[in-house]
């Protein structure tokens, strides 16, 4: 039992709460041994709390809070606090659960922040507990990205309990967090009732067995939920039976616009169900089938539906699906009669000359814009070839530019075509 209601959400791992770390005085000094310059309210609170609790000061957090104080002084609102561990500015020591305990204390009533990005840090289930509590205390937070923090099943359960109470969070990223089957099912169950969450990432849970229980529960959720816009189910071990469960839900669901089922075990038989549901589903806009095995037959089923029936899908990725020239050419032909499909990603399949010519023609005639695909034609000795370019649905998901932020989202089809609270 993972509990319900306010008491379950507030119940924490009392025996495993982060004990304050006792460190010698220099631990809160900066790299050069000096004390930090305290100029703003949040930065000052963080510094003082660390001193009070003998908690080592994280210089990167201190720097970020200084920037946040400056933004607040300018009158900025709706700020995303970015403490991502894959930042080139991040020092060797990343954010831990104990750091998050301090952050919880100083951010829980801050009205200026609506987003928090702490991906790829060392936040465990203890940190997940405080992140969930933060979402209970702060009514302005709409976006939380926990990607890559090993919160595991226990941490996932804290978030499931939180979602029974929270009515402000719109987007939650728990991808690559080692969630267990129990927490995935709990999250799916609570989302049958939660009417606020618009996007959720449950990529790569740690699942055992071949029964596809997570897919069954998420399929049931999609039948009941009429608010969710974006769902990521990468690496859920989905097979043809599982994709049929999702398709049965998509006949009834009229809110989902972005479905990510990449890196699963879907074959051409699963495409029969998906192609059929796309004939009647008029809301799905982005479909990520990357790294499955739909082959020529599955691609033809999709192409026939896209050519003759579906006019809502705008982006399709079939990257690395063991598709040969015949299937890829059929997909290119569907774009000539389908005016809606604008973004197509095909790299990692088996290109022949007919494929290269077909996609080169689409690009030359401006039917397929260079930013909307992951291939670029070039000619050698009179023959057309395709080269890979770094555009795609997840271009900036696992890495950040060395300097500054991404200037435009145009290469990221899903993010551009399905804006939901930004950032995810």
């Amino acid at each position: 039992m993972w509990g319900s209601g306010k008491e379950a959400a507030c119940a924490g791992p009392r025996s495993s709460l982060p004990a304050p770390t006792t460190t010698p005085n220099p631990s809160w000094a900066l790299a050069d041994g000096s004390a930090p310059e305290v100029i703003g309210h949040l930065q000052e609170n963080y510094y003082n709390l660390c001193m009070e609790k003998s908690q080592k000061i994280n210089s990167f957090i201190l720097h970020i809070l200084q920037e946040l104080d400056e933004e607040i002084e300018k009158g900025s609102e709706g700020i995303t606090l970015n403490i991502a561990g894959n930042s080139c500015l991040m020092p060797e020591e990343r954010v831990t659960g104990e750091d998050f305990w301090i952050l919880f204390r100083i951010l829980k009533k801050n009205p200026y922040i609506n987003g928090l990005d702490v991906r790829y840090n060392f936040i465990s289930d203890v940190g997940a507990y405080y992140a969930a509590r933060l979402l209970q205390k702060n009514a302005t937070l709409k976006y939380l990205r926990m990607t890559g923090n090993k919160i595991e099943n226990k941490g996932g359960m804290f978030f499931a309990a939180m979602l029974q109470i929270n009515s402000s969070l719109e987007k939650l990223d728990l991808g690559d967090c080692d969630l267990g089957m129990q927490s995935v099912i709990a999250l799916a169950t609570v989302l049958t009732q939660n009417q606020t969450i618009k996007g959720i990432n449950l990529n790569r849970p740690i699942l055992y067995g071949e029964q596809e229980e997570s897919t069954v529960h998420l399929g049931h959720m999609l039948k009941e939920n009429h608010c969710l816009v974006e769902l990521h189910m990468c690496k859920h071990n989905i097979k043809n039976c599982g994709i049929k469960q999702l398709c049965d839900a998509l006949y009834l669901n009229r809110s989902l616009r972005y479905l990510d089922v990449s890196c699963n075990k879907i074959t051409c038989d699963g495409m029969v169900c998906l192609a059929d549901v796309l004939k009647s589903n008029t809301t799905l806009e982005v479909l990520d089938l990357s790294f499955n095995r739909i082959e020529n037959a599955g691609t033809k089923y999709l192409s026939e539906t896209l050519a003759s029936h579906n006019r809502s899908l705008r982006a399709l990725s079939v990257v690395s699906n063991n598709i040969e020239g015949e299937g890829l050419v059929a997909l290119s032909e569907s774009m000539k009669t389908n005016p809606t499909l604008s973004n197509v990603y095909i790299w990692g399949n088996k290109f022949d000359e007919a494929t290269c010519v077909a996609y080169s023609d689409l690009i030359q005639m401006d039917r397929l814009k260079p930013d909307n695909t992951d291939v670029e034609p070039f000619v050698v000795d009179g023959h057309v070839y395709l080269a890979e370019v770094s555009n795609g649905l997840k271009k900036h998901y696992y890495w950040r530019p060395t300097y500054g932020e991404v200037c435009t989202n145009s290469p990221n089809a899903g993010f551009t075509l399905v804006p939901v609270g930004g950032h995810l």
Side-chain angles (χ1 to χ4, degrees):
M1 289 291 291
W2 52 282
S4 61
K6 194 168 185 176
E7 293 175 0
C10 292
R14 300 199 179 275
S15 62
S16 60
L17 289 179
T21 303
T22 303
T23 54
N25 216 36
S27 66
W28 52 69
L30 299 182
D32 60 0
S34 63
E37 180 185 359
V38 179
I39 64 165
H41 179 66
L42 291 175
Q43 189 188 32
E44 182 178 8
N45 281 355
Y46 174 73
Y47 178 78
N48 290 339
L49 265 174
C50 288
M51 296 280 284
E52 177 187 337
K53 304 298 181 182
S54 299
Q55 169 70 32
K56 184 176 181 179
I57 287 179
N58 186 310
S59 59
F60 183 64
I61 293 178
L62 202 66
H63 171 72
I64 294 297
L65 291 178
Q66 176 183 338
E67 292 183 343
L68 180 59
D69 279 329
E70 291 170 357
E71 287 298 315
I72 291 173
E73 284 184 18
K74 294 176 186 175
S76 302
E77 295 181 357
I79 302 168
T80 294
L81 188 60
N82 193 330
I83 315 178
N86 61 347
S87 167
C88 61
L89 299 175
M90 174 65 80
E92 291 182 7
E93 188 173 4
R94 297 185 180 182
V95 177
T96 66
E98 292 184 358
D99 291 323
F100 211 101
W101 174 50
I102 300 290
L103 283 175
F104 160 72
R105 297 279 299 274
I106 65 175
L107 296 179
K108 61 184 179 181
K109 293 183 180 179
N110 190 291
Y112 301 99
I113 299 171
N114 74 352
L116 182 59
D117 185 346
V118 290
R119 56 187 151 152
Y120 302 114
N121 282 296
F122 296 140
I123 298 172
S124 63
D125 60 324
V126 171
Y129 167 68
Y130 285 106
R133 285 195 62 189
L134 177 61
L135 289 165
Q136 290 173 226
K137 301 289 185 181
N138 189 313
T140 62
L141 266 176
K142 297 184 181 298
Y143 157 74
L144 175 63
R145 188 169 186 175
M146 295 285 293
T147 325
N149 289 287
K150 307 310 177 187
I151 66 173
E152 301 182 338
N153 190 66
K154 194 173 184 179
M157 297 300 283
F158 293 139
F159 281 107
M162 173 275 298
L163 288 178
Q164 294 180 90
I165 300 170
N166 182 279
S167 59
S168 60
L169 191 69
E170 294 182 3
K171 210 155 190 183
L172 176 61
D173 188 340
L174 298 178
D176 301 307
C177 286
D178 290 1
L179 300 178
M181 179 70 79
Q182 184 189 20
S183 57
V184 172
I185 292 175
L187 287 161
T189 302
V190 77
L191 285 175
T192 60
Q193 301 296 324
N194 185 292
Q195 301 297 304
T196 309
I197 289 287
K198 301 295 190 298
I200 190 162
N201 185 336
L202 300 174
N203 286 351
R204 213 216 68 192
I206 305 299
L207 305 176
Y208 299 97
E210 298 292 325
Q211 301 303 312
E212 300 189 73
E213 291 180 62
S214 66
T215 310
V216 171
H217 284 271
L218 287 165
H220 174 71
M221 178 272 293
L222 287 176
K223 292 180 181 178
E224 303 292 328
N225 186 297
H226 302 292
C227 299
L228 194 68
V229 173
E230 182 172 341
L231 174 62
H232 295 264
M233 296 178 63
C234 174
K235 299 181 182 177
H236 270 247
N237 199 30
I238 300 172
K239 297 184 279 291
N240 292 329
C241 182
I243 196 67
K244 185 180 185 303
Q245 293 278 347
L246 295 178
C247 288
D248 288 345
L250 290 175
Y251 282 111
L252 303 173
N253 185 283
R254 288 293 179 267
S255 66
L256 196 70
R257 290 188 277 152
Y258 189 157
L259 177 61
D260 175 5
V261 287
S262 59
C263 302
N264 283 296
K265 298 179 180 179
I266 305 166
T267 71
C268 60
D269 291 339
M271 290 302 98
V272 175
C273 300
L274 191 55
D276 190 61
V277 77
L278 287 175
K279 293 177 181 177
S280 58
N281 182 291
T282 58
T283 54
L284 199 62
E285 295 181 13
V286 182
L287 179 59
D288 192 347
L289 291 165
S290 308
F291 301 98
N292 282 282
R293 199 174 180 86
I294 68 173
E295 302 181 320
N296 279 351
T299 310
K300 285 183 178 179
Y301 292 136
L302 282 177
S303 300
E304 289 167 6
T305 295
L306 292 171
S308 306
H309 299 280
N310 184 279
R311 292 295 181 269
S312 63
L313 200 69
R314 303 173 69 182
L316 172 66
S317 177
V318 291
V319 168
S320 296
N321 264 276
N322 201 37
I323 309 170
E324 298 174 345
E326 187 180 356
L328 293 168
V329 170
L331 183 58
S332 72
E333 289 296 318
S334 71
M335 293 194 72
K336 294 178 180 178
T337 57
N338 185 321
T340 311
L341 188 62
S342 60
N343 298 64
V344 173
Y345 305 97
I346 62 170
W347 187 257
N349 293 295
K350 300 177 181 179
F351 299 165
D352 59 9
E353 189 164 4
T355 300
C356 298
V357 170
Y359 285 87
S360 176
D361 288 346
L362 287 175
I363 293 170
Q364 294 288 339
M365 67 176 68
D366 206 33
R367 175 61 188 88
L368 183 58
K369 297 185 182 301
D371 277 348
N372 292 350
T373 187
D374 57 352
V375 293
E376 181 179 19
F378 65 98
V379 179
V380 177
D381 296 333
H383 295 280
V384 180
Y385 298 91
L386 295 176
E388 182 185 21
V389 291
S390 59
N391 290 339
L393 295 175
K394 297 186 177 79
K395 182 179 179 184
H396 299 302
Y397 189 76
Y398 293 108
W399 63 277
R400 297 179 64 197
T402 306
Y403 298 102
E405 293 296 330
V406 184
C407 296
T408 174
N409 282 331
S410 61
N412 299 306
F415 309 157
T416 303
L417 296 173
V418 185
V420 185
H423 302 290
L424 181 60

